[in-house]
Amino acid sequence: MKKPSLLLSLGSLLALPLPAMAAMTEMADSELADVSGQAYIVAFGRYERTIPDLTERNVAIGPIAVSDAARSVEAGLPNLTDQVRQGVVSSTNSALAAGKLALVGSVATVPGVGTVVAPILALLPTPKISYKISNG
């Protein structure tokens, strides 16, 4: 693998959240005041789901502490990681919008049901992602 490809692959690990298992516990308002972090927000209309950033987790793949590596890269190159995240958010939102248009267009060509289903699909909200940094 060429060095630029390797760097791009490693950089994308900062942008892509990995699934994590965590127990939910109720917090008091005083505890919530100290909460800070980074997360992706996936929104579909009024429904939102927050997915913690890789740097906010403790992910390890085999002997490699991926989250620790992501935190050290972010600390060393904060502008680059911000640009990568913004690029991921922008390109994902563009792909989601284009995918929705393609879906509506292809459904519209189905004889019999396309003229009914396509307008309904067009009225559905387009999924969007955003990136948020909160400071407690």
Side-chain angles (χ1 to χ4, degrees):
M1 183 178 271
K2 294 181 181 179
K3 191 172 184 174
S5 299
L6 177 63
L7 291 175
L8 183 59
S9 297
L10 291 176
S12 66
L13 286 176
L14 287 174
L16 298 174
L18 296 175
M21 301 288 284
M24 300 290 286
T25 58
E26 192 170 335
M27 296 177 73
D29 289 339
S30 59
E31 293 173 312
L32 286 173
D34 296 330
V35 173
S36 65
Q38 306 173 120
Y40 290 94
I41 299 169
V42 180
F44 184 73
R46 63 182 183 168
Y47 301 102
E48 290 185 350
R49 168 89 172 146
T50 302
I51 303 170
D53 183 74
L54 183 59
T55 60
E56 296 294 316
R57 301 173 182 203
N58 291 317
V59 177
I61 299 176
I64 302 169
V66 177
S67 292
D68 292 341
R71 284 187 280 273
S72 66
V73 169
E74 183 180 43
L77 302 166
N79 291 335
L80 178 63
T81 55
D82 286 344
Q83 289 176 354
V84 169
R85 287 182 182 121
Q86 289 172 4
V88 167
V89 167
S90 174
S91 61
T92 301
N93 285 334
S94 296
L96 289 170
K100 180 182 175 188
L101 286 174
L103 176 67
V104 170
S106 64
V107 168
T109 62
V110 176
V113 296
T115 56
V116 175
V117 177
I120 294 170
L121 288 176
L123 292 173
L124 291 174
T126 302
K128 294 182 181 173
I129 67 165
S130 59
Y131 187 77
K132 183 178 180 181
I133 298 174
S134 63
N135 298 317

